[in-house]
């Protein structure tokens, strides 16, 4: 993981689902394919846990926090041996020890997670979700109109976006401008998708073809099969694919990261008690060293933060 981070003026941010899409996706959420509950996780120690008293009464009673997550985004969250694993589940386990509750991950399509929170299906969304002002304010970034009440974020990681190609077949691609006249695969509703759409408008006669998929894994499969010239995704995800796919023989990173921005746990605007409890738990996990151990375990030390902030996205 050696790529540097560069700021770009594009409006989108990492793994950003457009707010407008969130607003109209409610009906789809209730029938989302592949939804399932991961019942593993930290065993609750209840009121004996140091931060248990900070939780809302309903969560103190159930000792469960329901988490909406798109569990197909290695190494952030994914399935391995039937279990949900990754950076987010490990952090949730560590927070669970501080709070005395179990974080129950439920799989859903990424661009419906915030709608799922609004409907009460989930209490939080933890899914490599980027903290942005648009999300905080419930604004559709394309229309500039407010379409829902927005959410608060407890920020815990930083990531940019990277381009990757088949190994040894970069086709001269090193920047977003180099994608003009080529085909790129992305996950639908992400910053990579938004950046690609923005770049396509700049390409003019050298058309940039974009193919978007429900999951990043599907996009990788398409590129691996030779169906595109490049893929784009969050740096940790792209780097993990480069390292693991085909034993490291399938892909390579090209160019630098762009759009560095914080990942945050999304919490409803009115649920300030839960928001503050999560912040306190993450601060404790940073202080006791568990946070650094998790970052090192997954090889994502570059994105580590030393300070847990609220709503620090731009």
């Amino acid at each position: 993981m050696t790529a540097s981070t560069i700021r770009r003026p594009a409006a989108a941010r990492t793994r950003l689902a457009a707010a407008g899409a969130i607003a109209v996706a409610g009906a789809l959420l209730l029938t989302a394919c592949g939804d399932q509950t991961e019942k593993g996780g930290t065993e609750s120690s209840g009121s004996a846990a140091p931060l248990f008293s900070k939780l809302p009464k309903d969560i103190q009673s159930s000792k469960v926090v329901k988490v909406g997550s798109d569990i197909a985004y290695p190494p952030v969250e994914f399935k391995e041996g039937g279990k949900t694993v990754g950076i987010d589940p490990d952090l949730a386990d560590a927070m669970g020890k501080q709070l005395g509750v179990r974080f129950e991950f439920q799989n859903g399509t990424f661009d419906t997670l915030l709608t799922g929170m609004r409907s009460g299906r989930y209490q939080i969304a933890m899914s490599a979700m980027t903290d942005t002002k648009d999300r905080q304010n419930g604004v559709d970034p394309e229309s500039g109109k407010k379409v829902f009440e927005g959410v608060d974020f407890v920020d815990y990681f930083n990531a940019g976006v990277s381009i990757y190609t088949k190994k040894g077949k970069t086709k001269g691609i090193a920047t977003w401008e180099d994608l003009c006249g080529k085909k790129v695969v992305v996950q639908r509703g992400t910053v990579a998708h938004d950046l690609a759409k923005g770049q396509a408008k700049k390409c003019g006669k050298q058309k940039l073809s974009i193919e978007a998929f429900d999951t990043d894994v599907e996009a990788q499969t398409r590129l691996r099969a030779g169906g595109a010239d490049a893929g784009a995704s969050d740096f940790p995800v792209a780097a993990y694919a480069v390292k693991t796919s085909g034993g490291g023989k399938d892909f390579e990173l090209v160019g630098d990261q762009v759009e560095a921005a914080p990942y945050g746990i999304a919490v409803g605007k009115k649920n300030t008690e839960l928001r503050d409890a999560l912040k306190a738990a993450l601060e404790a996990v940073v202080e006791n060293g568990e946070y650094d151990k998790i970052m090192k375990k997954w090889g994502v030390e570059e994105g580590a933060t030393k300070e847990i902030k609220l709503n620090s996205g731009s």
Side-chain angles (χ1 to χ4, degrees):
M1 295 186 180
T2 58
S4 62
T5 300
I6 296 177
R7 295 291 302 182
R8 286 170 64 103
R13 290 296 184 270
T14 309
R15 211 180 185 198
L16 171 60
I22 294 168
V24 300
L28 295 176
L29 171 71
L30 299 180
T31 56
C33 295
D35 272 16
Q36 64 183 80
T37 299
E38 172 61 47
K39 296 186 180 296
T42 304
E43 286 298 321
S44 168
S45 57
S47 59
L51 300 177
F52 183 77
S53 63
K54 289 183 173 292
L55 289 165
K57 296 299 182 183
D58 61 329
I59 294 179
Q60 288 184 19
S61 178
S62 69
K63 295 185 175 60
V64 172
V65 177
K66 295 180 180 180
V67 185
S69 189
D70 179 5
I71 310 174
Y73 212 59
V76 187
E77 52 262 320
F78 62 106
K79 289 287 186 179
E80 186 174 75
K83 293 184 63 178
T84 298
V85 299
I87 300 166
D88 283 354
D90 281 356
L91 285 173
D93 280 350
M95 287 191 291
K97 294 174 184 176
Q98 298 296 321
L99 294 166
V101 297
R102 176 168 52 85
F103 286 73
E104 184 178 275
F105 279 72
Q106 299 185 19
N107 194 23
T109 305
F110 182 76
D111 59 4
T112 65
L113 296 181
L114 296 188
T115 309
M117 283 176 52
R118 294 172 65 194
S119 71
R121 187 184 184 101
Y122 319 122
Q123 291 159 313
I124 65 173
M126 190 174 185
S127 190
M129 185 173 287
T130 300
D131 175 1
T132 70
K133 291 299 182 186
D134 284 340
R135 273 209 180 110
Q136 293 170 27
N137 298 323
V139 172
D140 179 346
E142 293 190 7
S143 69
K145 295 180 179 180
K146 188 175 180 67
V147 292
F148 73 115
E149 69 272 18
V151 295
D152 283 334
F153 285 97
V154 184
D155 298 331
Y156 63 95
F157 190 76
N158 291 288
V161 177
S162 290
I163 300 171
Y164 60 102
T165 67
K166 292 190 71 174
K167 196 161 189 175
K169 298 182 179 180
T170 64
K171 299 184 180 181
I173 298 169
T175 69
W176 284 87
E177 290 76 15
D178 295 332
L179 292 174
C180 293
K182 298 180 173 65
K183 182 176 182 179
V184 64
V185 288
V186 296
Q187 181 180 6
R188 186 175 294 106
T190 63
V191 69
H193 194 185
D194 289 340
L195 286 175
K197 288 187 287 186
Q199 184 59 47
K201 294 178 181 178
K202 302 174 185 177
C203 286
K205 294 182 179 179
Q206 281 190 303
K207 183 180 178 182
L208 167 57
S209 178
I210 304 166
E211 188 171 5
F213 296 85
D214 286 339
T215 72
D216 199 76
V217 173
E218 291 174 315
Q220 292 173 24
T221 300
R222 181 68 163 167
L223 178 60
R224 189 184 300 111
D229 300 299
S233 187
D234 288 9
F235 171 67
V237 176
Y240 187 83
V242 167
K243 180 180 179 180
T244 61
S245 182
K249 297 178 180 179
D250 288 343
F251 305 128
E252 65 178 279
L253 290 171
V254 294
D256 298 309
Q257 286 187 66
V258 300
E259 292 296 324
Y263 284 173
I265 302 173
V267 188
K269 284 286 188 185
K270 296 178 181 179
N271 207 349
T272 56
E273 195 173 9
L274 176 57
R275 178 200 67 193
D276 294 344
L278 294 173
K279 182 175 185 289
L282 276 170
E283 288 171 338
V285 171
V286 170
E287 185 175 349
N288 68 18
E290 285 297 308
Y291 178 90
D292 285 340
K293 290 179 182 178
I294 292 167
M295 298 298 110
K296 185 176 181 180
K297 171 183 175 180
W298 293 104
V300 293
E301 296 96 323
E302 279 191 28
T305 182
K306 295 298 182 185
E307 184 180 1
I308 304 302
K309 298 180 179 180
L310 296 178
N311 299 325
S312 65
S314 60

